[in-house]
Amino acid sequence: MRGLSKGSLAALITVVVGVLCLLLEGALPWLTTYPKTWVLPASDAIGMGVEAGLVFVKPAARMFSALMAYPMAATNYVLAALPWPLLIAATVALGWRLGGVRMAAMAAFGLGLVLLSGYWPQGMNTLALVAVSVPLALIAGAAIGILANEFPRFRAPVQALLDVMQTVPTFAYLTPLLVLFGFGPVVGLIASAIYAAPPMARNVLLGLQRVEPEVKEAAVMSGGTRMQQLFQVEIPAAKVQIMVGVNQCLMAALSMVIIAAVIGGFEDIGWEVLLTMRKAQFGPAMLAGSVIVIFAILIDRMSGTLAQERRRLWDGRISLGIMALGLVGSLLFWRALADPGSYQALDPVADGLDSWLTDFTRSNADLLTSFKNSIMFYVLLPLRIGLDQAILPFTWGFQWTTGMSLWFFAAAGAGAVVLTLRGQLTGALVLLIMAGILETGVSQLPWPFVLVGVGALAWVAGGLRLAMLSVGLLSTILVSGLWERALLSLYLSGASVVACAILGGGIGLLSAASPLAWRVVRPICDMLQTIPLFVFLIPVLMVFQIGEFSAFLAIIAYAIVPMIRYTRQGLIATPEEMIEAATASGATGWQMMRDVRAPYAAPTILLGLNQTILYAFAMLVIAALIGTTGLGQSIYLALGQADVGLGISAGAAMAILALIADRIVQGFAEERKKALGL
C-alpha cells in the first residue's frame, strides 16, 4: 500500500467494494436495495416539526404578508396607470444616460416589442413584483454581508447559510412559504426576495473584504466612529463589487418570476407563460417568455454598467429631453392612447410560429423521433438502468446476456492491465469503476458502493474531513427513504454535466483559439445567461414534447454557459512568459494548447465545471415540470400537496448532492492551483 498514490488507493478501495457487492448480491440482496424497514420516517418527522413551529410564526407571517400587499398593490397601480409612452421614454432616457445611443436604442426596441406583444399590463405586474422584492433582498443581503464582515465569528456560519440557500432548489422552500403566507402574489414576492438576497450578501462581504488596508487605516486615523468608517469610507470604496451584487440580485429576482407564479400567480408574465404552456400554445408561450427575456437583458445591461469601475455617464440634458418628449406626448395624446393590452401586433407572429412548428414537427417527425430515441436508447437509458437491462431487442436489436457481461468485464480488465503496465494504475482502476457503473446503471448501484466511492473521491479531493462529511450527508438521504430518487437525480444531472463538459469544453476551446468564433459565441452566451430558467423549457417542449429527453436538453442549454466561459478564460489567461518559452522550444499550436495552456487553465476549468454542476441541479427541479423523475418530481409534488416534510427533505437531499459535488470539485481545483504554485 505504501507504493500506491492517494488516488490509486481510493480507486482500489472502491473497486474492491464494488466487486464484493457484485459477488454478494444474490446472498445479500439488501446490498443492492436498501431495506424499507431500515428507513426512518424523516419526511413525516420534519413535516410535523416544521408545521408545529410554523404555527407560532404564522400570525406574524400573515401580518407581514398583509402589510406587503400595500406596496405591491401601490406599485401595480402606479405602473398600470402611467401611460406607456412615458414609461418607455423614462427607460430610454435612463439607457441614454448609462450607455448612450446603443443602450437607448436597445431600450426603445425592447419595450416596443413588449408593447406590440400585447403583454404590457402583465409585464408591468411582473416589474411591480421585482420592484418591491428587490429592495427587500438588497436590504437583507446587505445586512447579512455587513454582519459577517463586522463579526468574523459569524462569517463561517453565514457562508454556510449562503451555500445552503444557493444549493437548495427554489421549489423546496416554496412549500413552507405557502403554509406561512398563504396563496397569492405576496408569496411570490417573498420567495423572490429570499432567492435574490444571497448574491447581494456575498458581494457586499467580498467588497468589504477587498477594501485596501491603507483606506481602512486612513479612516481610523481620521478619528471617525466605526459606523462612520463603515458607511462613509469602506462601503463607498467597495461600491463596484456591491453594484455587481445589485446586478445579480435583480437578475435572480427576475428569474423567480415564473416560479413564483406557481404559488402566487396573478396576471403577470410568469402566469401567462405557465398558462400558455399548459394549453400547449407554444407560440404565445414563446412570445410571453420573450417578454421576460427582454426585461432580463435590459435590466442586466443597465445595472451592469453601474458595476463598471470606470463608467461614462452620457449627457443628462438629452435624457431630460427624452423624458420631456414622453411626457408631452402622453399629455397631448392621452385620450387617443389605447389600452396597452390591445396592441397585439405580434399575435400573427406567435400564430405563425405555432403553425410553422406544427408543420416542422410533422414533416420531420421521423428524424426528430430517431434523434430522440438514439440519445435515449444508446446513451441515457444505459446510464440509468445499465447495459444488462437497457439492451433489448426493442432498443438495440438484440438481448444482453450474462455471457456478454463477462466479456464486457474481461475487455475492461484487459484495458486496465494495459494501463497498469504503462504505469497508470489510477486510470486502470477508474476504468474498472466506470465499466461497473455502465453495466449496472447509476439508478441500480449498490448503496455501499456509492457511499464508499463518493467518500473515497472526497478524501482525494479534500481530505478525511470532507470524506466524512460527504458520507455522513449521503447517509441521511439513505435512511430518509429518498435514495432511489436521489440516484435518479444524480443520473440525469450527471449525464447533463458530462454533455456540458464535452460540448462546452469544445466550444470554449474553439473560442480561445479563434477570436472570430468567440465573437459569434459570446452574444449567444450572454443571451442564455439572461434567460430565466423556466423559459428554457419552452423550445424543447415545442419540438420534443414532455419527457426526460426534453429535460436533458433544457438542463444542457442552461448549464453549458459557465463551462464555455471558464474554459475560454482559463485557456487565454496563460502568462506570456510561458507562451514565449513554449514558442522558443518549437511547440506547435496544438502542443502549446495541450501541454501549456490546458494544464495552466485546469483550476479555472474546474471552477467552470463546478458552476455547471450547480446550474444543472438548479434546472433539474424546474425540469420536473416536464416529466422527469427523482427528487425534482418529489419537490414539485410536495408543493402541489402542501407537504412541508417531503418538500424540505427532498429539497435538502438535492442540496446535499449539489453541496458534495461543489466541495469535491473545489477541492480538485485547489489542488491544481497548489500544484501550479498559484
Side-chain angles (χ1 to χ4, degrees):
M1 293 289 182
R2 288 184 178 179
L4 293 179
S5 66
K6 195 174 183 179
S8 298
L9 180 59
L12 180 61
I13 294 172
T14 306
V15 168
V16 170
V17 172
V19 171
L20 289 175
C21 289
L22 188 65
L23 295 176
L24 298 175
E25 180 180 358
L28 303 172
W30 55 266
L31 287 174
T32 304
T33 305
Y34 190 76
K36 292 183 178 180
T37 55
W38 296 2
V39 172
L40 300 177
S43 298
D44 295 337
I46 291 173
M48 292 174 61
V50 171
E51 288 181 0
L54 293 181
V55 168
F56 299 100
V57 186
K58 188 180 291 186
R62 293 298 170 96
M63 184 180 297
F64 179 74
S65 177
L67 290 174
M68 292 308 301
Y70 290 105
M72 184 76 178
T75 310
N76 271 332
Y77 176 79
V78 170
L79 290 176
L82 285 175
W84 60 262
L86 184 59
L87 284 174
I88 293 179
T91 309
V92 173
L94 180 61
W96 168 267
R97 182 68 171 157
L98 295 177
V101 176
R102 186 175 181 181
M103 192 169 290
M106 182 174 64
F109 180 72
L111 291 186
L113 288 178
V114 173
L115 179 67
L116 295 177
S117 71
Y119 286 121
W120 183 270
Q122 293 87 345
M124 294 304 102
N125 289 338
T126 295
L127 290 182
L129 186 147
V130 173
V132 180
S133 65
V134 166
L136 289 177
L138 292 178
I139 293 171
I144 293 171
I146 292 172
L147 176 69
N149 179 72
E150 293 300 298
F151 301 97
R153 67 176 178 273
F154 290 130
R155 198 167 297 165
V158 166
Q159 291 281 18
L161 175 64
L162 295 177
D163 287 342
V164 170
M165 292 181 70
Q166 186 178 11
T167 52
V168 170
T170 51
F171 272 128
Y173 57 75
L174 291 184
T175 308
L177 287 179
L178 190 63
V179 174
L180 267 179
F181 298 100
F183 186 87
V186 175
V187 192
L189 183 153
I190 295 169
S192 298
I194 292 174
Y195 182 68
M200 185 63 185
R202 286 187 184 278
N203 281 279
V204 168
L205 177 58
L206 183 62
L208 292 175
Q209 287 178 326
R210 287 183 174 179
V211 174
E212 297 292 337
E214 295 82 4
V215 175
K216 295 181 180 180
E217 290 173 5
V220 173
M221 295 296 292
S222 66
T225 65
R226 179 57 197 148
M227 288 295 100
Q228 290 174 326
Q229 296 170 27
L230 179 64
F231 287 98
Q232 296 180 19
V233 178
E234 294 181 19
I235 289 179
K239 64 181 179 180
V240 173
Q241 189 66 46
I242 292 174
M243 290 311 301
V244 172
V246 173
N247 171 261
Q248 293 181 3
C249 182
L250 282 163
M251 298 305 295
L254 192 60
S255 71
M256 275 291 291
V257 165
I258 305 180
I259 299 172
V262 175
I263 61 170
F266 66 120
E267 293 184 1
D268 64 350
I269 289 297
W271 183 249
E272 290 295 329
V273 172
L274 277 178
L275 194 63
T276 49
M277 284 178 62
R278 287 170 180 170
K279 294 179 180 179
Q281 296 174 340
F282 296 117
M286 203 67 188
L287 187 60
S290 66
V291 172
I292 298 180
V293 174
I294 289 170
F295 286 155
I297 292 174
L298 290 178
I299 291 173
D300 179 54
R301 295 296 185 272
M302 290 185 179
S303 61
T305 59
L306 299 176
Q308 295 175 6
E309 191 166 357
R310 294 180 180 177
R311 63 179 187 273
R312 174 187 175 184
L313 290 177
W314 294 69
D315 193 343
R317 293 172 296 180
I318 295 180
S319 294
L320 292 175
I322 296 172
M323 282 286 295
L325 285 175
L327 179 60
V328 171
S330 299
L331 293 174
L332 290 177
F333 302 102
W334 182 276
R335 294 186 177 181
L337 294 176
D339 176 15
S342 65
Y343 295 97
Q344 298 177 349
L346 296 182
D347 279 1
V349 177
D351 295 337
L353 179 60
D354 255 341
S355 177
W356 172 83
L357 179 67
T358 302
D359 295 339
F360 174 79
T361 51
R362 285 177 179 173
S363 59
N364 298 278
D366 293 340
L367 179 62
L368 294 173
T369 302
S370 176
F371 173 68
K372 177 180 177 179
N373 290 342
S374 296
I375 301 297
M376 284 297 301
F377 292 157
Y378 302 129
V379 180
L380 295 181
L381 202 58
L383 283 175
R384 179 177 179 175
I385 59 177
L387 294 173
D388 58 342
Q389 296 185 47
I391 297 182
L392 302 168
F394 170 70
T395 55
W396 288 56
F398 62 91
Q399 179 70 49
W400 186 268
T401 63
T402 304
M404 291 179 181
S405 294
L406 295 176
W407 279 107
F408 178 76
F409 283 122
V417 170
V418 172
L419 289 174
T420 303
L421 293 176
R422 292 182 176 181
Q424 301 176 10
L425 178 59
T426 303
L429 294 170
V430 170
L431 176 62
L432 293 177
I433 293 171
M434 298 307 297
I437 293 174
L438 184 58
E439 204 276 339
T440 305
V442 174
S443 66
Q444 311 291 325
L445 289 174
W447 57 269
F449 172 79
V450 176
L451 291 179
V452 171
V454 172
L457 188 63
W459 175 59
V460 175
L464 183 61
R465 185 176 179 181
L466 180 59
M468 294 175 64
L469 176 65
S470 301
V471 173
L473 290 175
L474 279 180
S475 298
T476 62
I477 301 177
L478 183 66
V479 300
S480 67
L482 296 171
W483 185 255
E484 294 180 1
R485 281 172 275 187
L487 289 183
L488 288 172
S489 297
L490 189 62
Y491 134 75
L492 187 57
S493 58
S496 304
V497 168
V498 170
C500 288
I502 296 172
L503 295 175
I507 296 171
L509 174 62
L510 177 63
S511 300
S514 170
L516 176 62
W518 178 237
R519 283 198 293 270
V520 175
V521 171
R522 183 178 181 179
I524 298 175
C525 289
D526 290 344
M527 182 188 69
L528 290 175
Q529 221 163 13
T530 53
I531 295 176
L533 283 75
F534 226 109
V535 180
F536 284 94
L537 301 181
I538 300 174
V540 293
L541 275 177
M542 291 168 67
V543 180
F544 295 105
Q545 307 304 316
I546 289 176
E548 197 170 87
F549 182 69
S550 295
F552 175 67
L553 293 182
I555 294 171
I556 292 174
Y558 179 67
I560 196 172
V561 175
M563 200 67 214
I564 296 174
R565 288 190 181 276
Y566 279 83
T567 299
R568 176 190 173 273
Q569 183 60 36
L571 292 174
I572 66 172
T574 309
E576 287 297 327
E577 54 269 21
M578 295 179 66
I579 301 296
E580 292 172 1
T583 303
S585 65
T588 64
W590 170 247
Q591 289 173 329
M592 187 177 298
M593 186 67 73
R594 183 191 63 192
D595 300 328
V596 179
R597 291 186 184 272
Y600 187 85
T604 306
I605 294 174
L606 284 172
L607 290 177
L609 179 63
N610 176 45
Q611 289 297 305
T612 294
I613 291 171
L614 294 178
Y615 277 41
F617 276 108
M619 190 65 191
L620 188 62
V621 183
I622 309 300
L625 295 172
I626 58 173
T628 64
T629 54
L631 293 172
Q633 186 185 52
S634 299
I635 294 170
Y636 184 64
L637 291 176
L639 179 61
Q641 300 165 3
D643 188 339
V644 179
L646 179 59
I648 292 179
S649 57
M654 185 79 82
I656 286 171
L657 295 179
L659 192 64
I660 291 173
D662 172 61
R663 292 296 184 266
I664 289 175
V665 174
Q666 281 192 25
F668 281 116
E670 289 298 322
E671 182 183 353
R672 287 301 305 159
K673 283 183 179 180
K674 291 179 181 178
L676 293 170
L678 299 177

mmCIF file with all atom_site columns, all heavy atoms in Angstrom, residues 157 575 664:
data_model
loop_
_atom_site.group_PDB
_atom_site.id
_atom_site.type_symbol
_atom_site.label_atom_id
_atom_site.label_alt_id
_atom_site.label_comp_id
_atom_site.label_asym_id
_atom_site.label_entity_id
_atom_site.label_seq_id
_atom_site.pdbx_PDB_ins_code
_atom_site.Cartn_x
_atom_site.Cartn_y
_atom_site.Cartn_z
_atom_site.occupancy
_atom_site.B_iso_or_equiv
_atom_site.pdbx_formal_charge
_atom_site.auth_seq_id
_atom_site.auth_comp_id
_atom_site.auth_asym_id
_atom_site.auth_atom_id
_atom_site.pdbx_PDB_model_num
ATOM 1  N N   . PRO A 1 157 ? -20.509 30.626 9.659   1.00 0.00 ? 157 PRO A N   1
ATOM 2  C CA  . PRO A 1 157 ? -21.929 30.236 9.591   1.00 0.00 ? 157 PRO A CA  1
ATOM 3  C C   . PRO A 1 157 ? -22.702 30.944 8.485   1.00 0.00 ? 157 PRO A C   1
ATOM 4  O O   . PRO A 1 157 ? -23.565 30.343 7.839   1.00 0.00 ? 157 PRO A O   1
ATOM 5  C CB  . PRO A 1 157 ? -22.473 30.617 10.972  1.00 0.00 ? 157 PRO A CB  1
ATOM 6  C CG  . PRO A 1 157 ? -21.283 30.673 11.861  1.00 0.00 ? 157 PRO A CG  1
ATOM 7  C CD  . PRO A 1 157 ? -20.154 31.106 11.002  1.00 0.00 ? 157 PRO A CD  1
ATOM 8  N N   . PRO A 1 575 ? 0.132   32.915 -18.758 1.00 0.00 ? 575 PRO A N   1
ATOM 9  C CA  . PRO A 1 575 ? 1.126   34.001 -18.745 1.00 0.00 ? 575 PRO A CA  1
ATOM 10 C C   . PRO A 1 575 ? 1.958   34.039 -20.021 1.00 0.00 ? 575 PRO A C   1
ATOM 11 O O   . PRO A 1 575 ? 2.288   32.996 -20.607 1.00 0.00 ? 575 PRO A O   1
ATOM 12 C CB  . PRO A 1 575 ? 1.992   33.663 -17.527 1.00 0.00 ? 575 PRO A CB  1
ATOM 13 C CG  . PRO A 1 575 ? 1.112   32.841 -16.647 1.00 0.00 ? 575 PRO A CG  1
ATOM 14 C CD  . PRO A 1 575 ? 0.241   32.057 -17.575 1.00 0.00 ? 575 PRO A CD  1
ATOM 15 N N   . ILE A 1 664 ? -16.249 18.762 -3.699  1.00 0.00 ? 664 ILE A N   1
ATOM 16 C CA  . ILE A 1 664 ? -15.266 17.872 -4.319  1.00 0.00 ? 664 ILE A CA  1
ATOM 17 C C   . ILE A 1 664 ? -14.558 18.570 -5.480  1.00 0.00 ? 664 ILE A C   1
ATOM 18 O O   . ILE A 1 664 ? -13.326 18.534 -5.597  1.00 0.00 ? 664 ILE A O   1
ATOM 19 C CB  . ILE A 1 664 ? -15.941 16.570 -4.793  1.00 0.00 ? 664 ILE A CB  1
ATOM 20 C CG1 . ILE A 1 664 ? -16.335 15.718 -3.576  1.00 0.00 ? 664 ILE A CG1 1
ATOM 21 C CG2 . ILE A 1 664 ? -15.023 15.775 -5.716  1.00 0.00 ? 664 ILE A CG2 1
ATOM 22 C CD1 . ILE A 1 664 ? -17.111 14.464 -3.927  1.00 0.00 ? 664 ILE A CD1 1
#
